[in-house]
């Protein structure tokens, strides 16, 4: 067994360079926190890394969308509470008018006009330029009482949604392949239509003599609307709960996906540090081997 | 023995030592020369009349292990083959994405689904639909770039084939020149071992380009053949010829004997491409003709399947407001035979989506495309004709009206619905990853968003805020679709994102496998080369020791001559 001087030198040198390259790779990992920049370094988990990245982005967008939706649903809920207050004060005032405890129905007529405008304003509530009662899109105010198609007093017994300017569809959030989560309520819902029709009857009734038939008709409509508005609020509350569930599920999923992605892509810093110091020792040994080989020569012993 | 005989013996020792010191000094000075092997001077006793009369050098050289050498050639070829495959796969993989930057194909698809979802929530308003168009465009662009990257890698491989062929030719020429010198030296009885070292270095380099077989004839001439027996060097070097194509696209391929596309590598006009296996040249041919096209096929299948799925959905819906005219995606030949079943309903609608005209067309009665065009043109308020490019255009006569196609009519030739067959409402068009793009007329016609709710005149067919078409597109991307086996991918059912991830995973796995194979092949080559070099290379300490020993031999031989001279002097003194 013999060795060639030049081969030995280059072998020792290339071993040292290889160790140095590995050391360099480890400290780069330590510095960047990533295993390798190329998918080659992910040990067959490249596909997992790609789909997890996509799932994470999708989930984050879904949570943002759901949170926006929740704000809209809650705003709508609040607006309906105010409408219910108006309906209830109207009911009290009508009762008073029918029982004759109220001096004049003139003020009731005036109030009805104001309430109508208030209800219309409440239905035109917007959050960040999105009208919450306008359905899908919600880009324009959903209620316009001045619309020429709207004439509720023409036939007070039939529903008239001529005031409605919004979309025919409710807003939808895509959660997964088969489920589109619909949320929100549009301003042409019977509860709002009845409220507006009743207030319109009040605002346009004859006050002298008092049109008790109109008062009774308005009372019946508002009474029904009062119940319906409660139900609408309940359904909004259910929607809010469902959105909450989506947000919770997605947030939980994100935690899982982030940790899974990290375990695929990232290095364990403690492990990388330990590996780096181990390789540092090997590299030192490698250099020292090269040095002792180069320093040892027969010439030094021949004299 | 005479005294002069002793002097003669001493002189032969001096000469022999000188030669050996000369050989040793050449060894020492060439210790770092690539491919140089340690030479020895072989000496023998000169015998005259059965009596030893001194020493003589009978040859200078070495004998290397031929079996080890051929193992090295094989390992060199294999290491070069694997590392070349790895280089090209890795470049394609990097163009598909990286850990830190993610994958553009995945990101644009995720973005497309996200903006579709936004558009659904926003009720399909114009700004959200613009975003969908932009996202569709980005997604098709990343597919185009991925396809470009594969084709650039093919082109680079093709150019490298040209360069490798040149390198092989120059090595063969050098080997041919060496053959001449070796046979001349051998005939003159001179040492050929240094020339053989050069020959071995060249052979090793040649084997890194392609698999070779070689042997030396009795006259010392080297003959080289490819692994499959095609002569590369016999009495003269055979010149390989190849001209790279340049501007490679997926449909330019090497097809032996077809005379079109990529030409073969030839020797004297004979195509030897299939005979050149192994080494970097074999790997380049494999990369250009097999490996990269397999990735391209998988990309094409990904592109066409997703495009087909999206178009199948989009053609079942209508843009809202309905476009004034619908243009087919691709030319129609009026005289071609047509066969269909079911009923096509053509609607004209006003700006609010209310039906102003509705007419049924029974597709089973049509026999040519011209019949279809005539039937469409016959619908009240609608005109149909072929435009300058041969595309079928159906338009509403009233500039403020839109035209909508609905009904259960299907075309027999591809089983698609009527609108899908012509691609009136296609969102993307193209034949593969290379040219997939947003359909040219989409921006003008609008993305099909709404369900056609009714065909009754006076009723609203397209509801405002209806986004069922967008929901169907989103669902189509999210649900598994069937991808056929193509190139590197097997047949599977996956969502769009799932298949993109699977494709990147497959390319990454192939690259990792190529990287591992390269490591294994290179370490085998290095180990064998190390064994060879350690066995036959120069050990400076060994040569130094020899040098001292030869110096002593020289001194001894001189002492013999001095002794003989003293003997002569003594003898002369005695005579005088």
């Amino acid at each position: 067994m013999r060795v060639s001087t030049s081969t030995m030198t280059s072998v020792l040198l290339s071993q040292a360079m290889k160790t140095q390259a590995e050391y360099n790779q480890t400290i780069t990992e330590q510095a960047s926190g990533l295993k390798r920049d190329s998918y080659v370094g992910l040990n067959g988990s490249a596909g997992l890394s790609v789909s997890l990245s996509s799932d994470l982005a999708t989930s984050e967008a879904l949570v943002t969308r759901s949170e926006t939706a929740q704000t809209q649903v809650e705003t709508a809920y609040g607006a309906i509470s105010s409408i219910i207050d108006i309906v209830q004060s109207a009911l009290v005032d009508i009762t008073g008018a029918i029982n004759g405890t109220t001096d004049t129905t003139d003020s009731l007529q005036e109030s009805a006009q104001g309430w109508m405008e208030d209800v219309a304003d409440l239905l035109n509530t917007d959050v960040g330029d999105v009208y919450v009662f306008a359905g899908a899109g919600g880009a324009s105010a959903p209620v316009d009482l001045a619309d020429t198609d709207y004439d509720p007093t023409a036939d007070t017994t039939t529903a008239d949604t001529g005031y409605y300017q919004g979309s025919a569809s409710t807003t939808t959030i895509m959660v997964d392949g088969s489920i589109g989560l619909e949320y929100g309520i549009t301003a042409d819902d019977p509860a709002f239509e009845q409220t507006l029709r009743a207030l319109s009857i009040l605002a346009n009734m004859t006050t002298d003599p008092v049109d008790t038939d109109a008062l009774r008709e308005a009372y019946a409509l508002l009474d029904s609307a009062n119940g319906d508005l409660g139900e609408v609020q309940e359904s909004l509350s259910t929607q809010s709960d469902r959105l909450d569930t989506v947000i919770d599920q997605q947030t939980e999923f994100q935690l899982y996906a982030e940790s899974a992605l990290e375990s695929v892509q990232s290095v364990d810093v403690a492990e990388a540090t330990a590996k780096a110091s181990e390789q540092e020792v090997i590299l030192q040994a490698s250099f020292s081997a090269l040095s002792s080989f180069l320093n040892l020569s027969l010439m030094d012993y021949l004299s | 023995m005479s005294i002069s005989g002793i002097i003669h013996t001493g002189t032969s020792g001096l000469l022999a030592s000188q030669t050996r010191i000369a050989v040793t000094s050449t060894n020492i000075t060439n210790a770092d020369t690539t491919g140089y092997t340690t030479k020895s001077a072989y000496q023998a006793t000169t015998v005259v009349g059965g009596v030893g009369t001194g020493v003589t050098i009978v040859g200078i050289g070495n004998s290397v292990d031929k079996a080890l050498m051929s193992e090295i050639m094989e390992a060199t070829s294999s290491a070069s083959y694997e590392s070349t495959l790895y280089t090209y796969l890795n470049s394609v993989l990097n163009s598909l994405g990286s850990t830190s930057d993610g994958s553009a194909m995945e990101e644009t698809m995720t973005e497309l689904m996200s903006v579709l979802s936004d558009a659904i929530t926003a009720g399909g308003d114009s700004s959200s639909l613009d975003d969908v168009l932009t996202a569709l465009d980005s997604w098709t662009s990343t597919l185009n770039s991925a396809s470009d990257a594969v084709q650039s890698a093919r082109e680079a491989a093709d150019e490298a084939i040209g360069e490798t062929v040149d390198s092989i030719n120059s090595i063969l020429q050098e080997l041919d020149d060496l053959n001449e010198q070796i046979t001349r030296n051998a005939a003159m009885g001179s040492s050929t071992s240094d020339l053989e070292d050069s020959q071995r270095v060249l052979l090793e380099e040649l084997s890194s380009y392609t698999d070779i077989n070689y042997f030396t004839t009795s006259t010392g001439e080297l003959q080289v053949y490819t692994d499959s027996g095609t002569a590369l060097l016999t009495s003269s070097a055979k010149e390989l010829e190849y001209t790279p194509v340049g501007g490679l696209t997926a449909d330019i391929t090497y097809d032996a004997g077809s005379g079109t596309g990529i030409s073969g590598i030839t020797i004297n006009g004979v195509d030897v491409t299939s005979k050149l296996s192994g080494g970097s040249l074999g790997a380049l041919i494999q990369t250009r003709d097999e490996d990269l096209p397999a990735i391209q096929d998988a990309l094409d299948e990904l592109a066409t399947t997703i495009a087909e799925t999206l178009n199948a959905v989009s053609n079942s819906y209508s843009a809202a407001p309905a476009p004034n005219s619908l243009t087919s995606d691709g030319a129609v030949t009026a005289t071609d035979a047509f066969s269909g079943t079911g009923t096509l309903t053509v609607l004209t609608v006003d700006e609010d989506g209310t039906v102003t005209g509705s007419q049924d067309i029974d597709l089973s009665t049509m026999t040519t495309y011209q019949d279809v065009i005539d039937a469409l043109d016959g619908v009240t308020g609608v005109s149909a004709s072929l435009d300058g490019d041969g595309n079928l255009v159906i338009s509403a006569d009233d500039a403020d009206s839109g035209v909508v196609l609905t009904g259960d009519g299907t075309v027999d030739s591809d089983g698609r619905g009527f609108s899908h067959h012509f691609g009136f409402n296609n969102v993307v068009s193209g034949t593969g990853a290379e040219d997939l793009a947003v359909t040219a007329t989409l921006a003008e016609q609008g993305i099909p968003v709404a369900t056609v709710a009714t065909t009754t005149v006076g009723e609203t067919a397209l509801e405002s805020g209806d986004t069922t078409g967008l929901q169907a597109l989103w669902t189509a991307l999210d649900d598994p679709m069937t991808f056929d086996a193509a190139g590197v991918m097997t047949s599977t059912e996956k969502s769009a994102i799932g298949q993109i991830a699977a494709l990147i995973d497959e390319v990454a796995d192939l690259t990792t496998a190529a990287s591992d194979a390269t490591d294994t092949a290179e370490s085998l080559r290095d180990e064998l080369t190390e064994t060879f070099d350690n066995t036959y290379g120069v050990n400076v300490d060994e040569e130094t020791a020899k040098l001292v020993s030869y110096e002593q031999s020289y001194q001894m031989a001189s002492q013999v001559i001095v002794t003989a001279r003293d003997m002569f002097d003594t003898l002369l003194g005695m005579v005088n």
Side-chain angles (χ1 to χ4, degrees), chain A residues 33-220:
Chain A
L34 290 173
K35 274 180 185 161
R36 276 272 285 275
D37 196 32
S38 165
Y39 285 134
V40 173
L42 300 187
N43 299 326
S45 304
L48 183 62
S49 157
V50 171
S51 41
L52 279 175
S53 303
S54 167
D55 290 347
L56 257 181
T58 307
S59 173
E60 278 162 12
L62 181 55
V63 167
T64 312
R65 226 169 272 135
S66 303
E67 282 170 353
T68 312
Q70 216 174 19
T71 315
Q72 289 167 8
V73 168
E74 278 161 12
T75 309
Y77 189 94
I80 294 172
S81 294
S82 308
I83 296 175
I84 290 176
D85 287 348
I86 292 172
V87 168
Q88 283 170 355
S89 15
L91 284 172
V92 171
D93 284 10
I94 296 173
T95 316
I98 294 174
N99 294 341
T101 48
T102 313
D103 292 344
T104 170
T105 49
D106 283 351
S107 66
L108 178 60
Q109 197 177 24
E110 268 171 39
S111 305
Q113 187 62 42
W115 287 330
M116 231 175 123
E117 279 159 19
D118 289 348
V119 169
D121 280 350
L122 284 165
L123 289 175
N124 284 340
T125 304
D126 68 322
V127 179
D129 289 342
V130 174
Y131 291 87
V132 294
F133 292 101
S140 57
V143 176
D144 178 10
L145 295 175
D147 193 294
T148 47
D149 284 347
Y150 185 54
D151 187 9
T153 50
D155 176 4
T156 52
T157 56
T158 51
D160 185 350
T161 56
Y163 61 87
Y164 185 63
Q165 312 292 319
S167 157
S169 331
T170 43
T171 319
T172 308
I173 287 185
M174 300 309 283
V175 179
D176 69 39
S178 51
I179 306 174
L181 202 158
E182 290 188 13
Y183 70 91
I185 186 87
T186 48
D188 60 349
D189 189 88
F192 305 128
E193 190 277 328
Q194 284 175 5
T195 308
L196 287 169
R197 181 146 46 101
L199 293 175
S200 173
I201 293 171
L202 289 180
N204 292 297
M205 67 182 179
T206 49
T207 50
D208 191 21
V210 174
D211 185 349
T212 42
D213 282 350
L215 281 174
R216 282 178 207 287
E217 194 181 6
Y219 186 89

Side-chain angles (χ1 to χ4, degrees), chain A residues 260-279:
Chain A
L261 193 61
E262 192 174 287
S263 73
V264 169
Q265 292 189 340
S266 306
V267 284
D268 182 339
V269 178
E271 193 190 322
T273 316
K275 214 163 101 185
S277 40
E278 187 189 322
Q279 280 168 345

Side-chain angles (χ1 to χ4, degrees), chain B residues 263-325:
Chain B
S263 63
I265 301 169
T266 56
I267 294 177
N268 293 330
V270 180
D271 191 338
V272 294
T273 313
S274 61
K275 315 276 184 198
L276 297 161
S277 59
S280 56
L281 185 60
L284 288 168
I285 296 170
Q286 168 81 15
T287 297
R288 184 194 67 185
D289 298 342
E290 308 287 340
D291 292 1
L292 294 179
I295 295 175
Q296 179 72 45
D297 288 349
L299 274 173
D300 286 345
E301 175 63 21
L302 177 85
T304 52
T305 305
I306 295 177
E308 175 73 15
T309 307
L310 287 177
N311 289 338
V313 169
S314 65
N315 277 291
S316 307
Y317 296 87
S318 168
N324 181 250
S325 69

